């Protein structure tokens, strides 16, 4: 007999929060609003109830969270060095094993970072809000 612990709703919410963070903080560093909108339409990192069934154990949910967090850490680093490439690819592969669509290569981010000029994006969380 094997005992398996199911993922918790808080883990599912954490995964959704990490995906929102990628869209609101990481992607705007590299891509235009139109490109990010296209990623939404293509369902990049889309998490549905079916995906959560694919990583329904505690171990699986932690692997997904860790992979997303690692990708975030790499992409938020000040410089994208070649030594991050294999780690990035490994974590993208982990996400794809769990049915999460993340169709990017490391070199795309290296190239996008060198071409991105503006940091203003409709996807970026506002630094402050004016209540009228």
């Amino acid at each position: 007999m094997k005992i398996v612990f199911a993922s918790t709703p808080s883990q599912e919410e954490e995964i959704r929060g990490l995906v929102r963070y990628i869209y609101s903080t990481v992607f705007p560093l590299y891509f235009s609003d139109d490109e990010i909108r296209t990623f939404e339409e293509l369902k990049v990192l889309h998490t549905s109830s079916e995906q959560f069934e694919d990583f329904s154990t505690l171990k699986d949910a932690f692997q997904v969270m860790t992979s997303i967090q690692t990708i975030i850490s790499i992409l938020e680093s000040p410089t994208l060095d070649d030594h991050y490439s294999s780690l990035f690819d490994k974590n993208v592969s982990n996400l794809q094993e769990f049915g999460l669509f993340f169709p990017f290569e490391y070199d795309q981010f290296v190239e996008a970072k060198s071409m991105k000029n503006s940091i203003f994006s409709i996807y970026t969380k506002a630094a402050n809000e004016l209540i009228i």
Side-chain angles (χ1 to χ4, degrees):
M1 174 186 277
K2 184 176 182 180
I3 297 174
V4 178
F5 295 96
S7 63
T8 64
S10 62
Q11 286 175 311
E12 294 175 5
E13 185 54 40
E14 176 67 17
I15 291 169
R16 285 187 186 101
L18 289 169
V19 171
R20 282 190 303 270
Y21 183 83
I22 286 179
Y23 272 93
S24 67
T25 306
V26 178
F27 280 166
L29 297 172
Y30 296 93
F31 303 109
S32 69
D33 288 350
D34 290 335
E35 291 170 315
I36 296 171
R37 193 172 304 109
T38 301
F39 300 157
E40 287 179 327
E41 292 169 3
L42 293 173
K43 298 184 186 250
V44 171
L45 290 177
H46 177 71
T47 52
S48 65
S49 56
E50 291 84 32
Q51 262 94 18
F52 285 117
E53 289 174 10
D54 288 342
F55 41 90
S56 59
T57 66
L58 283 174
K59 179 184 174 196
D60 294 345
F62 276 119
Q63 284 181 318
V64 169
M65 286 188 294
T66 303
S67 292
I68 295 172
Q69 289 169 338
T70 302
I71 289 170
I72 289 170
S73 295
I74 291 169
L75 296 178
E76 286 186 329
S77 68
T79 60
L80 295 178
D81 298 326
D82 287 337
H83 67 275
Y84 291 132
S85 179
S86 61
L87 183 61
F88 179 87
D89 293 340
K90 179 182 182 227
N91 284 284
V92 168
S93 177
N94 286 345
L95 293 177
Q96 291 173 344
E97 286 177 21
F98 288 106
L100 292 172
F101 181 58
F102 194 76
F104 302 103
E105 298 287 330
Y106 184 73
D107 292 337
Q108 288 176 277
F109 288 98
V110 173
E111 184 179 321
K113 188 167 195 153
S114 66
M115 296 176 69
K116 182 75 174 164
N117 294 331
S118 174
I119 59 170
F120 296 109
S121 171
I122 62 169
Y123 289 93
T124 305
K125 184 178 176 184
N128 56 29
E129 294 181 27
L130 179 62
I131 300 175
I132 299 177

